[in-house]
Structure formats: C-alpha cells, structure tokens
Amino acid sequence: YFDGDGHTISNLNCTSQTYSSFAGVLNGTVCNVHFSDASVRNNTTNSHIGIVAGYVGLSNCRFKGVVENVWVEGCVNNNSTSSYAGGICGFLAYGKVSNCIANVDVVSATINDLGTGGICGYQYDGENLKEPTEIVNTLLKNCLFTGTVNSPRTHTGGILGKSENRYGNYISGNICAATMLRGNTNDV
C-alpha cells in the first residue's frame, strides 16, 4: 500500500527489461500521489508499460490492484511490438483505476490486435464472465486524459486502447481531451 499523501515524485526515470514503471506489477494500492516529469521506457517484448504500473492486478490469483487519486505527467515509450502501453498502466487485469489524471505522451510500437491508451492499454476480466452480472472485476472510472497517444499499428484510445468483450469490465465517467490520437486507421 503506497499512499503519497498528496506529495510529488519528480523525475521518475525507469528503463528496464520487465514492466517499466513505478510499481512493476501492482497487487496492492498506489494512491494520492503526483508523478511529475516521469519517463518510462521498455526494451523487451511482452513487458507491459505505464508510469504507475506495467501490470495492475492478477486475476488468476485474485489479487487486486488499485490506482486512485493519482496524477501523472511525462512520457511512456514502448519499444515492444507485443505489449500493452498506457499513461497510467499497460495491462489492467483485476482491480481499478479511478479519479486519475494523465497528461502523458504515449508512444508505442505495439502491433496487431493489442492496444495502447492514454490511461490504460488493455482491460481484461480474467474471470471471463460471459453473462450479465453486477460483479466488477476491472473498472476505469472518473479519469481524465489530456496528452497524446501515438501507436499507428494497433487499437488506440484516449482512455483505453482495448477491452475484452466481457461482463466484468466496466468504464464510467472518463473524459478524453487528447491533443492527438494516432492509431491503426479503423481502430482509434
């Protein structure tokens, strides 16, 4: 549990082999913190990337990840063609991202049927709920994106790059005020 208590983390610079970010794989909470002038970059395949976490929550273990009341500013540079990238997190597997602001420039080499987003690259309900339900396994709620996303060969969105078509995934009350979105022609 990391509570920033309203403080700022300046000049986070992370370039690594796996899950470049502040938390890497987040099975807990990061809240009430501002990341100023952050720069994250990955140099390997299958390594999701975001300023707060590369991977949020693990559905197969039922560990939730929570990112709440977080403000990120900076850049995300994904050099992998086979991973998800987002301003806050790359892969939201089980948990929530809520009440966050991302003023981030996201550049990603991701290709094909994957995703890159201003807040989150990919949203996945690991329980694979196929019937209508009140169960919320992944939630993107009340977030604002004001940066750019440049990922010309995959699904691209100001809030979310790609979400699985499952009943456990929810998105509510988000605003995209992106200055530029560039993705695969049919998938922006």
Side-chain angles (χ1 to χ4, degrees):
Y1 186 86
F2 180 87
D3 185 341
D5 195 28
H7 288 84
T8 297
I9 296 173
S10 298
N11 303 309
L12 171 72
N13 189 336
C14 182
T15 299
S16 71
Q17 295 290 323
T18 308
Y19 305 122
S20 296
S21 61
F22 175 72
V25 177
L26 177 62
N27 294 318
T29 300
V30 172
C31 63
N32 306 318
V33 65
H34 172 209
F35 291 90
S36 174
D37 296 318
S39 176
V40 295
R41 173 187 303 271
N42 66 0
N43 293 322
T44 187
T45 59
N46 299 321
S47 178
H48 313 305
I49 183 174
I51 290 175
V52 176
Y55 209 107
V56 175
L58 291 175
S59 56
N60 58 340
C61 300
R62 310 253 327 145
F63 291 130
K64 283 195 174 186
V66 175
V67 180
E68 195 162 45
N69 300 321
V70 173
W71 175 19
V72 296
E73 296 177 288
C75 61
V76 171
N77 194 329
N78 175 32
N79 293 309
S80 169
T81 58
S82 59
S83 61
Y84 300 101
I88 290 178
C89 69
F91 193 124
L92 175 60
Y94 188 58
K96 71 176 179 177
V97 176
S98 65
N99 303 318
C100 294
I101 298 171
N103 183 7
V104 180
D105 293 321
V106 181
V107 177
S108 181
T110 304
I111 63 172
N112 299 326
D113 195 28
L114 299 173
T116 301
I119 302 291
C120 183
Y122 180 62
Q123 181 187 35
Y124 174 76
D125 164 31
E127 292 191 19
N128 197 14
L129 299 170
K130 296 180 180 178
E131 301 294 328
T133 178
E134 295 295 318
I135 295 171
V136 176
N137 287 327
T138 65
L139 176 65
L140 279 168
K141 184 175 182 179
N142 299 335
C143 294
L144 169 66
F145 178 70
T146 61
T148 66
V149 180
N150 185 359
S151 187
R153 301 189 303 161
T154 193
H155 305 284
T156 301
I159 300 297
L160 176 65
K162 181 181 178 183
S163 180
E164 289 297 324
N165 184 20
R166 298 182 181 172
Y167 287 99
N169 293 337
Y170 289 87
I171 301 172
S172 172
N174 299 288
I175 297 172
C176 173
T179 56
M180 190 265 295
L181 295 174
R182 180 175 176 226
N184 186 327
T185 303
N186 298 316
D187 298 316
V188 178

